Short mmCIF file of all heavy atoms in Angstrom, two decimals:
data_model
loop_
_atom_site.label_atom_id
_atom_site.label_comp_id
_atom_site.label_asym_id
_atom_site.label_seq_id
_atom_site.Cartn_x
_atom_site.Cartn_y
_atom_site.Cartn_z
N CYS X 129 -8.55 20.14 28.48
CA CYS X 129 -7.35 19.46 28.92
C CYS X 129 -7.01 19.78 30.35
O CYS X 129 -7.33 20.89 30.84
CB CYS X 129 -6.17 19.83 28.02
SG CYS X 129 -6.45 19.29 26.30
N CYS X 130 -6.38 18.86 31.03
CA CYS X 130 -6.03 19.03 32.42
C CYS X 130 -4.94 20.10 32.53
O CYS X 130 -3.97 20.05 31.79
CB CYS X 130 -5.54 17.70 32.98
SG CYS X 130 -4.99 17.82 34.68
N GLY X 131 -5.13 21.03 33.47
CA GLY X 131 -4.16 22.08 33.71
C GLY X 131 -3.14 21.66 34.76
O GLY X 131 -2.28 22.46 35.13
N GLY X 132 -3.26 20.41 35.27
CA GLY X 132 -2.34 19.94 36.30
C GLY X 132 -0.91 19.94 35.81
O GLY X 132 -0.67 19.68 34.63
N PRO X 133 0.03 20.17 36.71
CA PRO X 133 1.43 20.33 36.28
C PRO X 133 2.05 19.12 35.56
O PRO X 133 2.78 19.31 34.59
CB PRO X 133 2.18 20.59 37.63
CG PRO X 133 1.28 20.20 38.71
CD PRO X 133 -0.12 20.35 38.17
N ASN X 134 1.73 17.93 35.98
CA ASN X 134 2.37 16.76 35.30
C ASN X 134 1.39 15.85 34.64
O ASN X 134 1.58 14.63 34.56
CB ASN X 134 3.21 15.97 36.31
CG ASN X 134 4.27 16.83 36.96
OD1 ASN X 134 5.02 17.48 36.26
ND2 ASN X 134 4.27 16.87 38.28
N CYS X 135 0.26 16.42 34.16
CA CYS X 135 -0.78 15.53 33.67
C CYS X 135 -1.08 15.84 32.17
O CYS X 135 -0.57 15.16 31.31
CB CYS X 135 -2.01 15.71 34.54
SG CYS X 135 -3.33 14.58 34.04
N GLY X 136 -1.89 16.85 31.90
CA GLY X 136 -2.15 17.23 30.53
C GLY X 136 -3.07 16.29 29.76
O GLY X 136 -3.19 16.43 28.52
N VAL X 137 -3.77 15.39 30.44
CA VAL X 137 -4.72 14.51 29.79
C VAL X 137 -5.85 15.33 29.17
O VAL X 137 -6.29 16.33 29.77
CB VAL X 137 -5.35 13.54 30.81
CG1 VAL X 137 -6.55 12.80 30.23
CG2 VAL X 137 -4.32 12.53 31.27
N TYR X 139 -9.73 15.60 27.41
CA TYR X 139 -11.08 14.97 27.38
C TYR X 139 -11.81 15.63 26.24
O TYR X 139 -11.41 16.66 25.73
CB TYR X 139 -11.82 15.23 28.69
CG TYR X 139 -11.07 14.64 29.88
CD1 TYR X 139 -10.06 15.37 30.49
CD2 TYR X 139 -11.39 13.39 30.36
CE1 TYR X 139 -9.37 14.85 31.58
CE2 TYR X 139 -10.71 12.85 31.46
CZ TYR X 139 -9.69 13.58 32.06
OH TYR X 139 -8.98 13.08 33.09
N ILE X 151 -13.34 18.67 35.94
CA ILE X 151 -12.26 18.18 36.82
C ILE X 151 -11.60 16.96 36.16
O ILE X 151 -12.27 16.09 35.61
CB ILE X 151 -12.84 17.74 38.20
CG1 ILE X 151 -13.50 18.93 38.90
CG2 ILE X 151 -11.77 17.12 39.07
CD1 ILE X 151 -12.55 20.03 39.35
N CYS X 152 -10.28 16.86 36.25
CA CYS X 152 -9.55 15.73 35.66
C CYS X 152 -9.80 14.47 36.44
O CYS X 152 -9.62 14.45 37.66
CB CYS X 152 -8.05 16.08 35.64
SG CYS X 152 -7.02 14.74 35.00
N ASP X 153 -10.16 13.39 35.75
CA ASP X 153 -10.38 12.09 36.40
C ASP X 153 -9.09 11.60 37.08
O ASP X 153 -9.14 10.96 38.12
CB ASP X 153 -10.73 11.00 35.37
CG ASP X 153 -12.13 11.24 34.79
OD1 ASP X 153 -12.86 12.13 35.31
OD2 ASP X 153 -12.45 10.58 33.78
N ARG X 154 -7.97 11.87 36.39
CA ARG X 154 -6.73 11.22 36.85
C ARG X 154 -6.10 11.93 38.05
O ARG X 154 -5.64 11.28 38.97
CB ARG X 154 -5.76 11.18 35.68
CG ARG X 154 -4.57 10.26 35.99
CD ARG X 154 -3.43 10.50 35.03
NE ARG X 154 -3.62 9.80 33.77
CZ ARG X 154 -2.76 9.92 32.74
NH1 ARG X 154 -1.68 10.67 32.86
NH2 ARG X 154 -3.01 9.27 31.63
N CYS X 155 -6.13 13.27 38.04
CA CYS X 155 -5.36 13.98 39.11
C CYS X 155 -6.17 15.01 39.86
O CYS X 155 -5.68 15.62 40.79
CB CYS X 155 -4.09 14.58 38.52
SG CYS X 155 -4.40 16.03 37.50
N GLY X 156 -7.44 15.27 39.47
CA GLY X 156 -8.28 16.17 40.24
C GLY X 156 -8.08 17.64 39.97
O GLY X 156 -8.72 18.49 40.57
N HIS X 157 -7.16 18.02 39.04
CA HIS X 157 -6.98 19.43 38.72
C HIS X 157 -8.09 19.91 37.80
O HIS X 157 -8.72 19.11 37.10
CB HIS X 157 -5.63 19.65 38.06
CG HIS X 157 -4.45 19.76 39.02
ND1 HIS X 157 -3.80 18.66 39.47
CD2 HIS X 157 -3.88 20.86 39.59
CE1 HIS X 157 -2.85 19.08 40.29
NE2 HIS X 157 -2.90 20.38 40.42
N PRO X 158 -8.33 21.22 37.77
CA PRO X 158 -9.37 21.74 36.89
C PRO X 158 -8.96 21.59 35.44
O PRO X 158 -7.77 21.63 35.09
CB PRO X 158 -9.43 23.26 37.25
CG PRO X 158 -8.62 23.42 38.49
CD PRO X 158 -7.70 22.28 38.63
N LEU X 159 -9.97 21.44 34.55
CA LEU X 159 -9.72 21.32 33.13
C LEU X 159 -9.78 22.72 32.50
O LEU X 159 -10.54 23.56 32.91
CB LEU X 159 -10.78 20.42 32.48
CG LEU X 159 -10.85 18.99 32.99
CD1 LEU X 159 -11.95 18.22 32.30
CD2 LEU X 159 -9.51 18.29 32.85
ZN1 ZN B 301 -4.94 15.64 35.28
#
Side-chain angles (χ1 to χ4, degrees):
C129 297
C130 176
N134 301 309
C135 183
V137 168
Y139 301 84
I151 300 293
C152 177
D153 291 350
R154 193 195 278 177
C155 73
H157 277 88
L159 301 179

